[in-house]
């Protein structure tokens, strides 16, 4: 069943520059405190959805051109929401729950921890402070970051698709590719991400096969309120 669902998702999302990676809810819940657990049985099938560098041209720009007058908040969020809602239509006999990376619970906690989901699904390795043996940061707060084996840091985690009626007790957990394997490189990665994230150097911590285009870099480097103009959207649309 998991394979059939995965193939259907690949055919729907692949042409849009989106990837879907399967995991069991239990893998995710096992590594988090109860406050962050997903409220589903352990064997429930779920997919974490990533956007790759090609999503900008394959999905975002066509979406903006078509939905120009309906865009009232962040164009990327609306684009992803539109396409994941369309994906639900591919499964008329299944319940499909969708969670987006920007959604919050009433407690102001995120609905799900995106980087943890990507790691347990084997999609990208979540490098954290605990992955460095000789910690050089003392009392500083150090945030972790996911690195994709193909795209490095040139990707984003956009949402979850959950299939509450599909239980997959025999699904085997993949191990994410440990592509930043030396202590020195991990320290460099976490330093760059935490203290110099604006320059984006952390994204190229490994040799990548594809990165954002110059147009896409300019878009994400622009303050959100000004991005509408870059896409040719009027202030009224905003």
């Amino acid at each position: 069943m998991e394979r059939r669902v995965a193939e259907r998702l690949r055919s729907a999302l692949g042409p849009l520059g989106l990837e879907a990676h399967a995991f069991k809810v239990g893998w995710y819940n096992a590594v988090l405190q109860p406050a962050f657990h997903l409220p589903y049985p352990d064997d429930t099938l779920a997919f974490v959805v990533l956007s790759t560098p090609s999503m900008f041209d394959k999905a975002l720009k066509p979406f903006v051109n078509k939905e120009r007058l309906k865009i009232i908040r962040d164009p990327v969020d609306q684009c992803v929401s539109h396409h994941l809602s369309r994906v639900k239509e591919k499964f008329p006999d299944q319940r499909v729950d969708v969670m987006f990376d920007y959604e919050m619970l009433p407690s102001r906690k995120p609905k799900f921890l995106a980087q943890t989901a990507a790691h347990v699904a084997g999609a990208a390795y979540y490098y954290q402070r605990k992955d460095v043996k000789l910690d050089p940061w003392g009392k500083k707060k150090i945030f972790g970051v996911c690195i994709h084996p193909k795209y490095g840091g040139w990707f984003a985690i956009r949402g979850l698709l959950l299939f509450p009626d599909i239980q997959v007790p025999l699904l085997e957990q993949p191990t994410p590719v440990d592509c930043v394997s030396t202590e020195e490189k991990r320290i460099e990665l976490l330093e760059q991400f935490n203290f110099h994230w604006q320059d984006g150097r952390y994204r190229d911590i490994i040799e990548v096969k594809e990165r954002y285009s110059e147009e896409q870099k300019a878009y994400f480097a622009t303050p959100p309120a000004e991005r509408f103009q870059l896409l040719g959207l009027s202030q009224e649309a905003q």
Side-chain angles (χ1 to χ4, degrees), residues 27-28 62 76 84 86-87 99 109 136 150 154 165 167 171 186 191 194 211 215 238:
W27 303 345
Y28 174 91
V76 173
L84 293 192
R86 291 283 300 275
V87 162
M99 294 182 187
K109 286 190 178 80
K150 184 177 176 184
W154 300 101
D165 302 329
Q167 302 297 300
L171 189 64
R186 289 178 181 186
E191 289 267 343
N194 281 272
R211 57 170 60 84
E215 181 186 16
Q238 181 186 352

Side-chain angles (χ1 to χ4, degrees), residues 14-217:
L16 301 168
L18 299 170
E19 289 182 356
H21 297 262
F23 69 97
K24 288 203 297 188
V25 165
W27 303 345
Y28 174 91
N29 287 349
V31 296
L32 292 171
Q33 297 170 340
F36 291 103
H37 284 186
L38 294 170
Y40 301 85
D42 282 352
D43 288 333
T44 303
L45 178 63
F47 289 82
V48 61
V49 178
L50 315 180
S51 62
T52 72
S54 66
M55 187 274 279
F56 192 79
D57 285 322
K58 289 179 174 177
L60 180 64
K61 293 206 291 193
F63 173 77
V64 167
N65 286 335
K66 189 177 175 196
E67 306 290 335
R68 186 171 294 276
L69 298 176
K70 298 180 193 168
I71 292 177
I72 53 171
R73 51 173 205 279
D74 184 87
V76 173
D77 288 348
Q78 274 186 259
C79 172
V80 172
S81 172
H82 168 79
H83 286 299
L84 293 192
S85 299
R86 291 283 300 275
V87 162
K88 290 174 71 169
E89 296 167 14
K90 306 272 184 193
F91 300 92
D93 302 325
Q94 299 289 348
R95 178 180 150 202
V96 185
D97 293 345
V98 185
M99 294 182 187
F100 298 103
D101 65 303
Y102 53 82
E103 289 185 300
M104 296 284 181
L105 295 166
S107 64
R108 302 305 298 158
K109 286 190 178 80
K111 276 198 171 181
F112 74 98
L113 299 183
Q115 301 201 102
T116 300
H119 186 94
V120 300
Y125 200 108
Y126 184 23
Y127 291 97
Q128 301 175 73
R129 190 173 193 156
K130 65 184 175 62
D131 294 310
V132 173
K133 293 188 183 75
L134 300 172
D135 185 323
W137 299 295
K139 293 184 178 178
K140 287 180 183 171
K141 177 85 171 168
I142 298 294
F143 294 96
V145 60
C146 271
I147 295 295
H148 191 287
K150 184 177 176 184
Y151 307 117
W154 300 101
F155 77 103
I157 303 157
R158 298 296 180 186
L160 296 186
L161 295 168
L162 297 118
F163 292 81
D165 302 329
I166 302 178
Q167 302 297 300
V168 284
L170 301 179
L171 189 64
E172 290 187 19
Q173 185 168 9
T175 303
V177 178
D178 180 6
C179 47
V180 188
S181 54
T182 69
E183 177 93 347
E184 184 183 21
K185 275 289 185 187
R186 289 178 181 186
I187 290 171
E188 184 185 340
L189 169 66
L190 293 174
E191 289 267 343
Q192 287 181 0
F193 180 69
N194 281 272
F195 308 122
H196 309 285
W197 62 269
Q198 293 98 328
D199 63 26
R201 280 181 298 150
Y202 79 90
R203 298 178 188 272
D204 286 310
I205 194 70
I206 62 167
E207 198 169 315
V208 300
K209 294 188 170 61
E210 197 180 336
R211 57 170 60 84
Y212 292 175
S213 64
E214 291 306 313
E215 181 186 16
Q216 189 170 178
K217 284 181 197 172

